[in-house]
Amino acid sequence: MFSVCSSLSQPLEVLELPYLCLTSTDLAYLSCSQHAPFLRELDLSENWLDESSLPSLRRLLAQAENSLCQLSLCGCGLSDTLLGALLPSLSSCRALRSLRLALNPLSRTGLLSLARTAAGIPSLRLLLYPNPLEEYEPGLPALPSSAQLLDWPLLEESEDRDLTRRLLEEVLNLRGRSRDLLVTSDLLNYSPDLTVDD
């Protein structure tokens, strides 16, 4: 699938591979690619990630930790456990400005762990996070797909969303990031201009 990458004479800086059903073998290939250290934008959204995928993804992020500015892992099936295993690699991406993780099945506890990691990346300006599972109406499967998360109704009561916002604000305030890091779950209205270099 990626043989074209090895034949390019110039470093590949943008790699968009959403909706491709990538396997752990595909990710292993990417993580060993000569282009990995030069990646500035990486989109693996809607590729289902599991425990077998994580070592290669961690290796890929380690290769790109000094260059990667935008990372999108929306709808990848990242649970609290899987994301927790990925957070140390994310925290090492010191050039990261935009991190998109919408439509992943995280609990509020998992989301707060993500927020703490995000707030510790000085370059980060945008975190697009998933609504935590506690904010959905009852009946979701234990590990819902991105399509189910997109279509399932959120609770009409605002208390749960208000609680999430308050807890996220506390994380940002503790890290001194309340002014320069936008943290949002709004898929439609966040500004991609925040990811442009100053």
Side-chain angles (χ1 to χ4, degrees), residues 12-31:
L12 189 65
E13 295 186 352
V14 178
L15 191 58
E16 297 182 348
L17 301 170
Y19 298 95
L20 288 183
C21 300
L22 297 180
T23 67
S24 57
T25 303
D26 294 328
L27 288 173
Y29 180 91
L30 287 174
S31 70

Side-chain angles (χ1 to χ4, degrees), residues 74 101-103 128-129 131 150 184-190:
C74 296
L101 287 164
L103 300 177
L128 180 64
Y129 68 86
N131 291 95
L150 185 61
T184 180
S185 62
D186 192 336
L187 282 165
L188 299 178
N189 295 318
Y190 73 89

Side-chain angles (χ1 to χ4, degrees), residues 44-49 73-78 101-104 146:
L44 300 176
S45 295
E46 297 296 336
N47 290 287
W48 192 262
L49 301 174
L73 298 173
C74 296
C76 289
L78 291 172
L101 287 164
L103 300 177
N104 282 292
S146 60

Side-chain angles (χ1 to χ4, degrees), residues 26-198:
D26 294 328
L27 288 173
Y29 180 91
L30 287 174
S31 70
C32 297
S33 167
Q34 62 183 340
H35 300 282
F38 303 99
L39 284 176
R40 291 177 54 81
E41 299 179 22
L42 178 63
D43 186 354
L44 300 176
S45 295
E46 297 296 336
N47 290 287
W48 192 262
L49 301 174
D50 56 23
E51 291 181 358
S52 68
S53 309
L54 287 186
S56 294
L57 182 54
R58 287 196 296 260
R59 187 162 55 247
L60 178 57
L61 293 176
Q63 290 288 321
E65 64 183 14
N66 294 319
S67 61
L68 192 63
C69 297
Q70 297 185 31
L71 176 63
S72 183
L73 298 173
C74 296
C76 289
L78 291 172
S79 63
D80 289 4
T81 300
L82 292 176
L83 182 65
L86 197 59
L87 289 179
S89 299
L90 291 174
S91 67
S92 297
C93 294
R94 311 311 290 177
L96 199 62
R97 296 182 64 82
S98 170
L99 178 58
R100 298 175 174 89
L101 287 164
L103 300 177
N104 282 292
L106 295 183
S107 71
R108 187 177 287 119
T109 299
L111 172 58
L112 292 175
S113 296
L114 169 62
R116 284 188 285 270
T117 296
I121 303 174
S123 59
L124 196 67
R125 294 294 176 265
L126 171 67
L127 172 64
L128 180 64
Y129 68 86
N131 291 95
L133 296 176
E134 290 89 343
E135 294 184 1
Y136 287 89
E137 292 282 354
L140 270 175
L143 192 62
S145 67
S146 60
Q148 289 169 320
L149 291 172
L150 185 61
D151 291 339
W152 208 270
L154 294 169
L155 291 168
E156 291 186 6
E157 297 82 3
S158 62
E159 286 85 354
D160 284 284
R161 290 194 289 278
D162 289 343
L163 174 59
T164 299
R165 280 193 290 270
R166 286 198 304 272
L167 292 172
L168 289 173
E169 287 171 1
E170 288 179 10
V171 170
L172 296 181
N173 287 331
L174 283 172
R175 293 296 187 103
R177 300 300 308 276
S178 59
R179 293 181 179 273
D180 68 347
L181 174 57
L182 174 62
V183 174
T184 180
S185 62
D186 192 336
L187 282 165
L188 299 178
N189 295 318
Y190 73 89
S191 174
D193 293 340
L194 291 167
T195 66
V196 176
D197 292 340
D198 295 330

